Amino acid sequence: DSAVADHTVDSVCPYCGVGCQLTYHVKDDSILFVEGRNGPSNQNRLCVKGRFGFDYPRHPSRLTRPLIRKSGVPKRLDPAFDPAQPLTHFREASWEEALDLASQGLVDLKTAHGPDALAGFGSAKCSNEEAWLFQKLVRTGFGSNHVDHCTRLCHASSVAALMECIGSGAVTASFMQVLESDVVILTGCNPAVNHPVAATYFKQAARNGTKLIIIDPRGQGLSAYAHMSVRFSPGADVSLFNAMLNVIVTEELFDQAYIDAHTEGFAALKAHVVDMTPDAMAPACGVDPDTIREVARLYARAERAMIFWGMGISQHTHGTDNARCLISLALACGQTGRSGTGLHPLRGQNNVQGASDAGLIPMVLPDYQPVGDDQIRSAFEELWNTPLEARPGLTVVEIMDAIHAGQIKGMYIQGENPAMSDPDLDHARAALASLEHLVVQDLFVTETAQYADVILPASAWSEKEGTVTNTNRQVQLGRAAVPLPGEARPDWWIIQEIARRFGLDWDYTHPREVFAEMKQGMPSLDNITWERLEREKSVTYPCPAEDAPGADVVFSDAFPRAGGKAKFAPTRPLPPDEPVDGDYPTVLTTGRQLEHWHTGSMTRRSQVLDDLEPEAVASVSPAELVRLGVSPGEPITITTRRGAITLKVRVDPLMAEGMVFVPFCYVEAAANLLTNPALDPYGKIPEFKYAACRLSPA
Ligand code: SF4
């Protein structure tokens, strides 16, 4: 029977931060199908991506040999590039030749221009061990801290606020805790699309009587389960949250005992919000003042309440301020540290939590330990037996700017696709094209790889061993189910080969050895061993003992800040960087679809997922469709100050009027050609969620 597997392999889904555990059913070295497993975050459930998005590694365009750019071929992106056709711009090479060329180009640039001429992007799609090795290579081989990854485009602002206010960038409670909550606020997130299995917990909680309050400019599928859905004006988040804080202060709904025991700075916050009444803020928010009061009262009076947020909060020039407000709400009402309470920024990519923990961040060493701290740096210098740079490195968008400025001349990009994911793509793509030497390590000739000098064929998640850490701080083990095709290699092996060519004395033979080294520099992994993960499949950090479970809820007694107290950080409303005006009257917002993941490099090569959503579409409200005078399925053009794209229009009754939503995974209508690269000053995250645009029939 061709449909009967000859063996099964337990692993973890490679897509979102929910971290669903799954089982691959394998026959003749091919995955036949995937089943959900009883993991702590999914209880056998999978969404459409986890269930059907497993076939991309066997796509005909999969890279199976290293490639080297043919001499004289210009570096530019061809949106009509057909990966299934014979390559014209590259030639196949042996590993030896490709690794030598890849490394020598980077070494030569370092020799000629110094360590600041090189930078690296690691990947939240890869394992913790691969993230650790990648940042170690940049810091000890390249000699700089210019290493970053997609957290910069995701939750960097949330982490900046959390580190500042509570001393830790991870969630304070798992999303399973909603089953213990009386009230749950979901803001700037759309779990039914982006964290679908987590959404099932929200639905279950709502059925049990938990009051879900959805606060977002757009409507969403979970609204059907919501006690209240509050639609506010795009970009007015800080005004709305400060108005809620004003209600909590003026009606004395705060928890004075909790504030006294666990926080500092509340008096300043009280004084700060005194003028920001619901009536004063309502015009900016587009929300009725009584609705603001009702939401604030529901949250503050709840015995147990949680706040969840996503990119709608973080991807703004005021993203850090947004998160500071949400933290203030929780601290003022004593809604952390107990079961059913907490702050939870829903992590996007499957390992963005783990890759950040492992140090793919330019200003901190692993476990968020500042590179500028002499004592911490000395400990890592001893661990790695190499002097380290004390200056923080550049972030994702800053690196693109530094390429244009002539400072960064060479890059190593592993598994990231900035030619699709960066804001203002013309600027980012011009930067990639102008690099003197670019090495890309990936599964396919991605849009970014089209600019590479050397392309190194890497490993898919179902082909390798490694650990990943999901949004709940659960460290889980991925296992190889099928062999690597052709000459493709595990990412950790490739990074090591580059490191050796930088003169580094690396000799890892398996990811478990890397994990053992990580434990020496990452206190978060205390009491978690590879063997334990093999046995238990999932262990939450922090974990108090090798025979005890990890902490689902943290900071019951003290916060990891000096003195053990969390801090209120007052914020002032700021306008979007590029407000709408007469020429560009519509708000463009971007994001993901249920069926497609990030830049689409995996899901657009997965047959079922691509069949479900095969082409780029822009979603507008019914009223907007009438105003445009087009029918669903007809093309429209969206224009911003940075570019224009043409794509089909889809009517979405849940869209706010005056807004258009475009997913960012379609190269033929790349949303990020339009987006604004203006950065949040703290998290350095671009304003993907608000750009002024103009819509017109094509
Ligand atoms: Fe995978 Fe996320 Fe879907 Fe779970 S919810 S199956 S982790 S994409």
Side-chain angles (χ1 to χ4, degrees):
D1 184 347
S2 63
V4 176
D6 51 37
H7 69 285
T8 60
V9 177
D10 291 344
S11 191
V12 186
C13 175
Y15 291 109
C16 90
V18 172
C20 295
Q21 292 194 6
L22 50 74
T23 298
Y24 295 114
H25 290 254
V26 184
K27 181 181 173 63
D28 297 336
D29 289 339
S30 288
I31 298 170
L32 291 180
F33 63 95
V34 169
E35 254 186 333
R37 200 154 50 97
N38 192 16
S41 67
N42 68 314
Q43 296 179 335
N44 300 311
R45 304 163 203 165
L46 293 175
C47 79
V48 67
K49 288 190 292 291
R51 190 168 296 283
F52 296 110
F54 60 84
D55 54 341
Y56 65 91
R58 296 301 168 98
H59 190 271
S61 64
R62 175 71 188 274
L63 283 166
T64 56
R65 291 202 70 192
L67 300 178
I68 292 176
R69 177 174 294 278
K70 291 178 180 172
S71 64
V73 174
K75 292 182 175 181
R76 61 169 172 255
L77 185 135
D78 175 7
F81 173 75
D82 183 351
Q85 295 301 313
L87 294 167
T88 54
H89 295 186
F90 298 91
R91 64 174 173 83
E92 292 187 338
S94 69
W95 269 107
E96 206 61 23
E97 182 188 10
L99 287 166
D100 286 348
L101 187 67
S103 309
Q104 197 57 50
L106 296 171
V107 169
D108 288 348
L109 287 170
K110 180 182 174 184
T111 305
H113 305 285
D116 277 337
L118 301 182
F121 290 164
S123 176
K125 289 199 285 270
C126 288
S127 68
N128 289 326
E129 295 73 32
E130 290 161 346
W132 171 275
L133 291 183
F134 192 90
Q135 58 90 36
K136 180 178 172 181
L137 166 65
V138 173
R139 298 187 204 279
T140 63
F142 294 9
S144 79
N145 291 308
H146 301 317
V147 60
D148 208 354
H149 76 301
C150 71
T151 192
R152 197 62 46 206
L153 312 174
C154 174
H155 265 307
S157 47
S158 307
V159 172
L162 288 162
M163 291 297 292
E164 173 192 10
C165 297
I166 67 171
S168 165
V171 301
T172 72
S174 76
F175 63 68
M176 294 90 77
Q177 287 293 325
V178 294
L179 300 175
E180 310 297 325
S181 303
D182 302 304
V183 169
V184 170
I185 289 179
L186 294 158
T187 184
C189 59
N190 188 353
V193 167
N194 297 319
H195 302 84
V197 169
T200 65
Y201 287 79
F202 296 122
K203 292 176 189 172
Q204 193 178 337
R207 283 195 206 98
N208 294 346
T210 302
K211 290 185 168 71
L212 296 189
I213 302 172
I214 297 176
I215 304 176
D216 202 285
R218 293 172 68 194
Q220 57 179 275
L222 272 183
S223 302
Y225 295 80
H227 177 74
M228 291 179 75
S229 285
V230 179
R231 307 272 295 267
F232 67 96
S233 304
D237 332 48
V238 173
S239 300
L240 178 60
F241 300 142
N242 270 316
M244 288 171 62
L245 284 165
N246 172 280
V247 174
I248 288 163
V249 165
T250 54
E251 297 186 10
E252 299 195 347
L253 301 173
F254 48 84
D255 183 340
Q256 191 66 58
Y258 178 92
I259 290 166
D260 291 344
H262 298 291
T263 73
E264 59 190 33
F266 187 58
L269 182 91
K270 279 170 86 172
H272 181 80
V273 299
V274 73
D275 296 331
M276 291 190 259
T277 63
D279 293 293
M281 295 290 110
C285 302
V287 179
D288 173 66
D290 283 339
T291 301
I292 298 174
R293 289 187 188 94
E294 188 179 351
V295 173
R297 289 168 188 157
L298 273 170
Y299 178 74
R301 288 174 177 158
E303 176 63 24
R304 297 167 189 275
M306 293 185 75
I307 301 177
F308 291 83
W309 71 94
M311 308 291 95
I313 288 295
S314 61
Q315 290 177 336
H316 286 282
T317 47
H318 56 270
T320 303
D321 283 346
N322 278 342
R324 286 169 172 153
C325 288
L326 298 177
I327 296 164
S328 289
L329 283 166
L331 296 178
C333 301
Q335 297 288 14
T336 66
R338 293 173 291 124
S339 175
T341 69
L343 290 159
H344 191 124
L346 282 156
R347 290 319 207 274
Q349 181 65 43
N350 69 327
N351 198 34
V352 72
Q353 179 66 60
S356 301
D357 297 344
L360 285 180
I361 299 184
M363 57 289 282
V364 291
L365 287 153
D367 262 356
Y368 310 94
Q369 304 178 78
V371 293
D373 184 309
D374 291 345
Q375 206 175 339
I376 288 166
R377 210 175 49 261
S378 297
F380 276 91
E381 287 174 339
E382 196 172 326
L383 177 64
W384 292 335
N385 197 25
T386 315
L388 297 174
E389 171 60 54
R391 284 174 300 139
L394 298 173
T395 60
V396 165
V397 178
E398 289 174 333
I399 285 171
M400 293 299 160
D401 291 338
I403 297 169
H404 280 291
Q407 177 201 326
I408 303 261
K409 298 177 186 297
M411 281 197 75
Y412 179 18
I413 298 178
Q414 177 214 17
E416 297 259 300
N417 195 4
M420 286 292 288
S421 60
D422 268 34
D424 189 7
L425 280 181
D426 277 344
H427 177 83
R429 290 172 179 177
L432 293 170
S434 70
L435 282 168
E436 291 182 26
H437 191 66
L438 173 60
V439 180
V440 173
Q441 177 173 321
D442 215 309
L443 306 181
F444 307 102
V445 182
T446 60
E447 291 76 13
T448 298
Q450 289 194 47
Y451 294 97
D453 296 280
V454 183
I455 307 175
L456 304 173
S459 46
W461 187 237
S462 52
E463 298 163 351
K464 62 186 171 188
E465 313 278 318
T467 65
V468 282
T469 308
N470 71 2
T471 190
N472 293 327
R473 294 180 269 103
Q474 289 158 333
V475 186
Q476 310 194 96
L477 198 58
R479 292 183 176 82
V482 290
L484 284 150
E487 296 180 22
R489 292 284 182 271
D491 286 73
W492 67 265
W493 180 90
I494 304 172
I495 300 165
Q496 172 159 281
E497 289 299 317
I498 300 279
R500 285 174 171 168
R501 286 163 174 79
F502 266 81
L504 299 174
D505 182 21
W506 290 16
D507 195 21
Y508 306 101
T509 62
H510 190 276
R512 68 162 63 84
E513 297 163 8
V514 183
F515 189 80
E517 179 181 306
M518 290 167 64
K519 286 171 59 61
Q520 296 179 56
M522 296 178 63
S524 64
L525 296 178
D526 284 355
N527 300 308
I528 303 176
T529 62
W530 189 277
E531 294 69 29
R532 186 174 176 186
L533 291 170
E534 282 184 326
R535 206 169 51 243
E536 299 181 25
K537 312 284 196 306
S538 174
V539 183
T540 302
Y541 78 75
C543 185
E546 282 206 24
D547 57 356
D552 208 32
V553 177
V554 291
F555 313 143
S556 303
D557 300 323
F559 289 96
R561 294 184 75 245
K565 290 194 168 185
K567 171 186 149 186
F568 287 95
T571 61
R572 281 267 163 218
L574 290 170
D577 179 73
E578 186 185 60
V580 291
D581 57 22
D583 292 333
Y584 299 96
T586 303
V587 177
L588 166 73
T589 187
T590 65
R592 298 178 293 241
Q593 292 172 300
L594 170 63
E595 295 79 4
H596 285 303
W597 192 247
H598 285 192
T599 67
S601 58
M602 293 150 65
T603 53
R604 293 201 78 193
R605 293 177 172 91
S606 181
Q607 190 179 340
V608 171
L609 301 176
D610 196 46
D611 284 351
L612 287 169
E613 284 288 1
E615 59 183 347
V617 286
S619 298
V620 300
S621 69
E624 193 69 43
L625 200 73
V626 171
R627 193 191 64 72
L628 280 164
V630 297
S631 299
E634 290 185 346
I636 62 167
T637 297
I638 308 175
T639 308
T640 70
R641 291 181 175 85
R642 292 156 294 280
I645 61 172
T646 296
L647 69 177
K648 289 182 179 174
V649 70
R650 175 179 286 178
V651 67
D652 180 353
L654 298 174
M655 280 303 297
E657 289 193 26
M659 278 186 96
V660 58
F661 171 78
V662 183
F664 67 97
C665 64
Y666 297 97
V667 65
E668 61 272 30
N672 280 322
L673 287 166
L674 310 178
T675 48
N676 184 358
L679 299 182
D680 171 283
Y682 309 99
K684 307 287 180 73
I685 195 167
E687 191 148 64
F688 288 122
K689 287 294 186 278
Y690 192 118
C693 74
R694 186 172 60 237
L695 309 184
S696 54

